[in-house]
Amino acid sequence: MTDAALAEGRRGFYRALVLRRQLILGGLALALALSVCVDLALGPARYTLGQVVEALLWPGAVDDQVRVILWEIRMPVALMAVVVGASLSIAGVQMQTILNNPLASPFTLGISAGAGFGAALALAFGVALVPFSVEYIIPVNAFAMAMLTSLAIYGLSLRQGVGSETIVLLGIALVFIFNALMSLIQFFASQQAVAAVVFWTMGSLTKATWPKLWIALTVLIIATPLLARRGWALTAMRLGDAKAESMGVRPRALRLEVLVIVSLLASISVSFVGTIGFIGLVGPHIARMLLGEDQRFLLPGAALSGALILSLGSILSKTVIPGTIIPIGIVTSLVGIPFFLYLILNRRVASW
Amino acid sequence: MVSLTLRDVSAAYGGREVLSGITTPPLQGGQLVALLGPNGAGKSTLFRRIFGLLRGQGDIRVEGATVPRPIAYMPQDNGARPVLSVYESILLARMQGRRLRVLPEDHAEVERILRLLNIGSLRARNVGDLSGGQRQMVGAAQTLVQNPQILLMDEPTSALDLSRQIDLLALLHRLTREEGLLIVVALHDLGHALRFADAAMVIGNGGLVACGATQDVITPHLLRNVFDVEARIEPCTMGRPHLIVDGRAGHRA
């Protein structure tokens, strides 16, 4: 072989790698678009995909009734599934990256449980953790507790001798603490309040409204480029701290920066839709399996796969029992727990 | 030409001062410098201190650098995580601190380094599937691909077979001559140091023991006092200085 042909063959390896990953990302995006359309079509009034696409592209040309149902009622819910799924999955993938632990996610680190506790305080006793949060007292409370929880996790992670396994155990301890506190609240609260707390912790997209969607989307749109900017450094973190340091990465500073960003992402999501577990665990791992560790592909891949899973979950929650929307937190847990077990049992196989 | 000068440099590790008072003449580009010393003397600590990963007293001065990040550091542990392919992990080292977009010259540089180290056939392999020696070559590639002017390499030959050891050290020696680099390598093989290094720095007992031209530094006296061996340095049949070890000195038995 001539030198030129040899060089071409070599480039070919990397080019094929990139092309395959781009195709996978494109496929995920396409699947997501389709899933959102199906999600919009399903409900008490059923529409065909054609009607949905028509109402999406030319809202003026369809019936008022169809337009209102699709745009005002179903659209915020369907898009909230996308935004929350992407946010939780991005939060999960970066928690796993900076803590170097495949089991890290907003759910397993207790951030969701913290948010639930904050929400329960508001629902049961009207306690506002942040003054003047009248109208948004529940999400603001949830957000405040979620942020406090992630800061606690970070603080504990700085202690000498605290490894990544310990951090996940600490997270699980936090989950137990918050669950106990929730039970305490429920014991003292009125029956009505208990029902509200229970429903909140099940996680439901039906709480979605356009204003909430805009807030969650804004945070996602701000956070993603901030994380992408650190793409090379975050990829290097997967080689271990020592190796990352030798490439000029400052692991501690990077950890703090990323943890603040992903806590914001996770907290906003959880505070608006309640506890939706396992998206931050399953989404990232599917992305890793499909795309590898290069953050240029992993980050968008995790966002897309998380969004896709939650969107599919939304469809599932409407179709399992016709006429009833099962809280989506239940659906994602039922699908997520077997995957979680698989991860625990196959840790040696994966790249951790 | 780039140069590195240490003035009264100290380094602490885990709250304990490991090294202190290290002062060197300017180490000039175009030289291969061997960093020598027994286990635990602080070779890695000194590298980490120079690279900026450890704090301490003293002054580390780099002069004549023409690139923003003149120093690259190859740690002893090159990581065995099966995370990336060889090609990607070398590219990753080059792209740190840069934008996400990979330019054609970055690929060209990765290819050049793969060729230089003769590891092109490994490019598609996962780093986790490589042997220790192969991983060490990848680590060397990751250091070189950053186009530094000063390289700090912590025992880059420790896992290599003999011919690869010679290949790598000869290559590093050549690069100091052709590209004016200053390369500091921590070595345990004093014979290699005698053969390839222009200068040698010896550390022990928490400080600098000697620094100068290799043949002036590596002497029977130093070998006895620092490395605890009785040894001679004699010209071999080809006229090169050669290290012959007769046995333990028994000072610290």
Side-chain angles (χ1 to χ4, degrees), chain B residues 18-19 34-50 73 76 154-155 185-188 201-203 227:
Chain B
V18 180
L19 293 170
L35 177 61
L36 309 171
N39 290 333
K43 300 188 291 293
S44 301
T45 304
L46 183 60
F47 276 153
R48 290 171 61 84
R49 174 74 179 92
I50 297 172
Y73 163 56
Q76 217 172 89
D154 200 348
E155 295 188 30
V185 272
L187 290 176
H188 272 305
M201 269 174 87
V202 183
I203 56 175
F227 292 94

Side-chain angles (χ1 to χ4, degrees), chain A residues 10 21 100 232 238 243, chain B residues 78 88 96 123 142:
Chain A
R10 287 161 178 166
R21 288 170 181 173
N100 228 326
W232 296 118
R238 288 288 285 114
K243 195 69 195 170
Chain B
N78 281 291
E88 288 174 285
Q96 290 303 325
R123 68 162 58 70
Q142 287 176 315

Side-chain angles (χ1 to χ4, degrees), chain A residues 10-11 13-14 17 21 100 228 231-233 235-236 238-240 243 245-247 249-250 293 296 351, chain B residues 48 51 69 73 75 78 81-83 87-88 91-92 95-96 98-100 102 107 111 123-124 142:
Chain A
R10 287 161 178 166
R11 292 281 161 77
F13 152 73
Y14 189 75
L17 200 71
R21 288 170 181 173
N100 228 326
W232 296 118
T235 309
R238 288 288 285 114
L239 304 176
K243 195 69 195 170
E245 274 183 334
S246 77
M247 293 183 182
V249 178
R250 296 285 178 265
E293 296 286 346
R296 290 175 300 154
S351 55
Chain B
R48 290 171 61 84
F51 190 62
R69 284 165 49 168
Y73 163 56
N78 281 291
R81 296 233 180 107
V83 170
Y87 190 97
E88 288 174 285
L91 184 66
L92 179 69
M95 296 308 294
Q96 290 303 325
R98 303 249 314 266
R99 289 167 179 276
L100 290 183
V102 182
H107 287 300
E111 284 298 339
R123 68 162 58 70
Q142 287 176 315

